[in-house]
Amino acid sequence: MVPFRPVDRSTSLLNATTAGGANRVALKRAGGEAQHVRLHNPGPSMLFVRFGDSTVTATTADLPLPVGAVEVLDTTGATHVDAVTASGSSVLYATCGKGM
């Protein structure tokens, strides 16, 4: 396994609410170089995350990301990320890079 290595200026910030699709952001892949994304949910609410194209819309049935969680996922083919909360709001940092 290769350690995660971010690409320059590769972090997107998403301000998530209960409205899916309202705050989706483009992934900063630096010319398609990065296939992995490191997700960080600093809080204050649980997030539900989905990857896809420019129309991606997350729901509370998608990948849960608890407060404080950091995950690295292979998102080959995805251009955007969306996240929602069940209630309240939260922040999602999505950093593109290589490695797990």
Side-chain angles (χ1 to χ4, degrees):
M1 184 179 314
V2 177
F4 182 77
R5 180 177 49 90
V7 295
D8 289 341
R9 297 181 202 94
S10 62
T11 300
S12 298
L13 170 68
L14 187 152
N15 291 299
T17 64
T18 58
N23 300 299
R24 74 179 67 91
V25 295
L27 296 169
K28 298 179 180 177
R29 293 199 183 275
E33 174 186 344
Q35 67 184 25
H36 298 104
V37 176
R38 179 185 182 268
L39 301 176
H40 177 225
N41 176 8
S45 299
M46 166 86 86
L47 289 172
F48 298 89
V49 180
R50 178 180 284 225
F51 294 94
D53 61 18
S54 61
T55 64
V56 66
T57 300
T59 71
T60 55
D62 289 318
L63 176 72
L65 191 65
V67 173
V70 174
E71 296 285 342
V72 177
L73 303 171
D74 183 333
T75 57
T76 302
T79 59
H80 289 71
V81 62
D82 190 33
V84 295
T85 62
S87 64
S89 62
S90 200
V91 171
L92 175 68
Y93 292 102
T95 303
C96 293
K98 289 183 177 179
M100 301 297 275

